[in-house]
Amino acid sequence: MKDDSIIVSTKHVPLRVVLFVIACIVALAAFSYAIASLGKKSEGLQVVAESPDAQAPIYGNDYELKIYFRGSSNEIKEEMKRVQDCYSTVLQRAYKLLDAANEYENYPNLATINHNPGKEVEVNEELYAVLKDAVERTEKQEGYSMFAGALYRYWYSILILEHPEDFDPLLHEEEAERIGRLARMTAEPEHFALTFGENGSRTVRLDISAQYQELLEDLEIPYEVLDLNLLKDAYLLQLVARVLEENGYTEGYLTAESGLCVTLSGYDKAQYCVYELTDSGVALKKTLPAKPGSAASVFRAFPLREKEAYFCRIEKDGKVYYRNPYVTLGAEGFHNLIQNACVISETDPVDAVYTNIRLHACENTEQMEQIMLENAQYTYDISFFP
């Protein structure tokens, strides 16, 4: 019978014990050093994480702040905590104020207005100013509407699907009819009104026509109408940047997943990256200087990473159509002219994004050229589809 027992050698036991102890000491020292290194902060540009919020657990998911820190490790930790507290507080407030769907205690916001049509709602000074500005831009009818919440959410409900082509109006006649009806009525300003209080009162009242409400019921779309949509992140980062600047945190920049970057007034080392779609995939086209206090809005038709949400390709009759979050107000939703458009304003993120919206609303390059000629104060870089 084969003997499978394991024989343990008893030779040099004292030496083995010593070596084992030494190995344990070395491992413990290495582990302690690693732990200490994890908490050590060095001078440089660093991400400032937002603090958790039980009411709005995802409020910071789409935004990032980077600040340049100097000093010893402990000094940087202390300063980072101060920046984090400031950033978290203002980001939470801005996020909740501009939320069109969810209400929060002690935060009368867009959702509060949406859920109380025909009634006056008192809001704070920040939201009042945002709504005033958004109404003025909406009334210009240049491709933006703050009353298009239902239309945008309808489109996004399709784009977020695993197989959006199954419900894309280009391939689905019933969906084309539904979105067409919604887009046409959304483009008619007589269906909406946002009235502001007089004599210093910060009240607003949303009124929606009976015809539009009937359309939403007929289409079974229980979506909020008032929504900042493509300008939301611009207003949000503008509010956040203003508070950071007021508190002296100026050496860094803010970014949003929607393609907006705001460079704070004390940072002169940033660059704006512009990408393009090539035969071999997505490639860096160029970098543009980011002046302190400037903002860059980038709208792209293609994803930068695989399976990026709200981006897809639709094929029909041998032609490729690109779907993306930058939906226009027309029934088609996309003109498929622009691959990538970067608009840089030296002062205002809202102006940068609004101008990009206007460009994407154009039906041809001649209209785009006219907008750029009339707004020569901005820097542009545009790549077109062939």
Side-chain angles (χ1 to χ4, degrees):
M1 179 178 179
K2 183 179 179 181
D3 186 2
D4 292 328
S5 60
I6 300 174
I7 300 175
V8 179
S9 173
T10 57
K11 295 181 179 180
H12 309 299
V13 171
L15 178 59
R16 292 183 179 183
V17 171
V18 171
L19 293 175
F20 176 75
V21 171
I22 292 174
C24 289
I25 293 173
V26 170
L28 182 60
F31 182 74
S32 301
Y33 178 78
I35 293 297
S37 298
L38 286 175
K40 186 177 180 180
K41 298 295 183 182
S42 302
E43 179 178 317
L45 195 66
Q46 302 191 47
V47 175
V48 178
E50 71 277 2
S51 303
D53 185 332
Q55 284 188 324
I58 63 170
Y59 79 97
N61 283 15
D62 292 338
Y63 311 103
E64 184 175 84
L65 169 65
K66 286 189 175 182
I67 292 288
Y68 197 98
F69 292 94
R70 292 180 174 82
S72 67
S73 178
N74 287 336
E75 289 172 337
I76 291 175
K77 288 179 185 179
E78 292 173 1
E79 182 71 356
M80 185 175 287
K81 181 62 170 65
R82 288 190 287 269
V83 178
Q84 181 185 44
D85 290 342
C86 178
Y87 173 59
S88 298
T89 299
V90 64
L91 182 60
Q92 288 171 15
R93 185 171 74 249
Y95 180 89
K96 291 175 181 178
L97 289 176
L98 305 185
D99 192 332
N102 304 294
E103 295 187 56
Y104 305 91
E105 188 177 358
N106 300 321
Y107 279 93
N109 64 355
L110 289 185
T112 310
I113 301 170
N114 272 320
H115 299 160
N116 292 277
K119 299 179 182 179
E120 291 188 346
V121 176
E122 186 171 0
V123 299
N124 72 4
E125 186 175 354
E126 291 172 312
L127 182 55
Y128 191 83
V130 166
L131 293 173
K132 275 276 193 179
D133 185 79
V135 163
E136 291 177 5
R137 297 179 191 270
T138 298
E139 290 174 346
K140 292 179 180 179
Q141 298 187 50
E142 295 178 324
Y144 174 76
S145 175
M146 66 187 302
F147 303 115
L151 179 61
Y152 276 94
R153 284 185 172 82
Y154 196 111
W155 262 112
Y156 292 164
S157 70
I158 294 175
L159 296 178
I160 198 64
L161 296 174
E162 185 175 355
H163 298 289
E165 64 275 6
D166 293 342
F167 293 92
D168 191 282
L170 192 66
L171 305 175
H172 198 290
E173 187 174 338
E174 183 180 345
E175 287 298 333
E177 192 272 336
R178 287 166 62 87
I179 288 182
R181 290 175 60 193
L182 182 58
R184 284 189 294 272
M185 192 170 284
T186 300
E188 298 170 352
E190 62 266 25
H191 295 295
F192 318 99
L194 193 66
T195 308
F196 295 87
E198 300 178 351
N199 302 321
S201 171
R202 290 198 302 268
T203 60
V204 294
R205 189 187 76 211
L206 173 66
D207 290 290
I208 308 168
S209 73
Q211 296 96 316
Y212 197 82
Q213 294 184 55
E214 290 172 3
L215 174 65
L216 296 185
E217 292 176 4
D218 184 43
L219 298 179
E220 298 180 337
I221 307 174
Y223 296 142
E224 290 75 10
V225 169
L226 188 65
D227 190 321
L228 299 173
N229 51 78
L230 297 182
L231 281 181
K232 177 184 175 181
D233 286 349
Y235 286 119
L236 185 145
L237 292 193
Q238 185 179 62
L239 292 172
V240 173
R242 185 180 302 153
V243 173
L244 290 172
E245 295 271 356
E246 289 171 353
N247 284 270
Y249 307 126
T250 66
E251 200 169 355
Y253 60 87
L254 289 152
T255 57
E257 280 289 311
S258 59
L260 177 62
C261 182
V262 175
T263 303
L264 300 175
S265 64
Y267 194 61
D268 61 359
K269 299 179 177 63
Q271 290 184 319
Y272 298 129
C273 296
V274 179
Y275 294 86
E276 63 180 346
L277 195 60
T278 68
D279 293 338
S280 57
V282 178
L284 179 65
K285 179 182 179 182
K286 65 172 64 172
T287 58
L288 300 171
K291 295 181 180 180
S294 66
S297 167
V298 176
F299 286 7
R300 51 188 167 81
F302 51 86
L304 288 181
R305 54 186 181 273
E306 189 177 356
K307 295 185 178 179
E308 185 175 358
Y310 302 106
F311 288 87
C312 64
R313 288 162 39 113
I314 304 293
E315 293 190 27
K316 182 180 181 180
D317 300 330
K319 184 177 180 179
V320 176
Y321 299 84
Y322 288 83
R323 303 317 203 193
N324 54 75
Y326 311 107
V327 179
T328 66
L329 298 180
E332 298 82 9
F334 313 89
H335 291 308
N336 286 283
L337 291 174
I338 301 176
Q339 270 194 23
N340 188 78
C342 176
V343 180
I344 300 175
S345 166
E346 293 189 5
T347 58
D348 193 331
V350 181
D351 283 345
V353 178
Y354 181 73
T355 303
N356 219 341
I357 293 171
R358 292 184 63 197
L359 291 174
H360 278 71
C362 294
E363 297 181 2
N364 53 61
T365 57
E366 288 77 15
Q367 293 175 354
M368 295 179 199
E369 290 170 358
Q370 186 63 33
I371 290 175
M372 290 187 284
L373 183 64
E374 294 172 355
N375 298 271
Q377 70 270 31
Y378 306 128
T379 300
Y380 302 91
D381 189 274
I382 302 178
S383 297
F384 295 96
F385 284 110

